[in-house]
Amino acid sequence: MGSLCKVVDTLLLVAFLAAFLMAPLICAQTVLQESSFPEALIHLKQCYSDDFQDYLMAEKPHFFVALVWLELTFQWPLALLNIYGILASKSWFNTTCLIYGASVITSVSAVLGELIGSHKASEKLLQLYWVFMGAGVVAMLRGLVPQSSKTPIIGKRPAAGMGRKKRA
């Protein structure tokens, strides 16, 4: 079970890093003035919108804007905490991971409901949001599994001899 948790934690670390980078660089352009972003980031968002045919980014419906604000103010800081929690093997990681996963599942459910119900979404866009849903489910399930060890994925190793009893 411990090695499976390490694999899941590594996958979640990649997902949290992606969320940590994408939210302020790409998603924030939905709610903030594009003029406050460098031209390269504006071009990157446009390439994404064109490639995935993401009409929500272009049309900016009110519910989607609200979900982007949720992502920036709540999920983004949790992604940062979870990155630290995984790398440092913090005891509170399960709690923040559970909260993050539940929030992502809730917001992605609303977006998937719109995408599927509108019949406007490309297959590529639907697949992308199903990946987000999967990451949320994995994060939530990982939050329900107790940490099996205090050894961080990356970083210091436990000191040699720690845990041994002194002999008199």
Side-chain angles (χ1 to χ4, degrees):
M1 181 75 164
S3 61
L4 179 61
C5 276
K6 295 283 185 196
V7 170
V8 169
D9 287 353
T10 303
L11 291 173
L12 284 174
L13 181 62
V14 171
F16 294 141
L17 284 169
F20 178 72
L21 294 173
M22 283 179 32
L25 301 178
I26 305 299
C27 299
Q29 293 180 48
T30 305
V31 296
L32 302 174
Q33 292 181 356
E34 284 189 355
S35 61
S36 59
F37 293 92
E39 191 62 38
L41 290 178
I42 295 169
H43 180 69
L44 183 63
K45 178 193 170 227
Q46 190 60 45
C47 288
Y48 158 77
S49 292
D50 294 344
D51 193 32
F52 284 86
Q53 299 168 1
D54 192 341
Y55 69 94
L56 293 174
M57 285 263 196
E59 295 175 9
K60 300 179 183 180
H62 295 298
F63 87 95
F64 187 70
V65 170
L67 290 176
V68 171
W69 277 116
L70 171 74
E71 181 181 10
L72 292 171
T73 60
F74 185 71
Q75 292 173 359
W76 185 79
L78 279 174
L80 178 61
L81 283 173
N82 284 333
I83 290 167
Y84 175 69
I86 287 174
L87 295 176
S89 243
K90 293 297 184 181
S91 60
W92 44 258
F93 169 69
N94 289 8
T95 304
T96 57
C97 198
L98 180 65
I99 294 167
Y100 179 86
S103 180
V104 168
I105 290 170
T106 303
S107 59
V108 172
S109 293
V111 173
L112 278 172
E114 163 62 25
L115 295 176
I116 293 168
S118 71
H119 302 290
K120 292 198 243 178
S122 68
E123 194 62 35
K124 197 173 184 180
L125 184 62
L126 282 170
Q127 289 173 355
L128 178 66
Y129 275 96
W130 280 113
V131 169
F132 292 151
M133 177 65 83
V137 168
V138 170
M140 191 173 84
L141 292 175
R142 177 59 183 94
L144 295 171
V145 175
Q147 287 183 324
S148 58
S149 74
K150 293 291 182 188
T151 307
I153 291 177
I154 301 171
K156 298 185 250 176
R157 290 188 165 166
M162 294 298 286
R164 281 195 271 166
K165 293 183 180 180
K166 279 190 170 182
R167 294 183 190 195

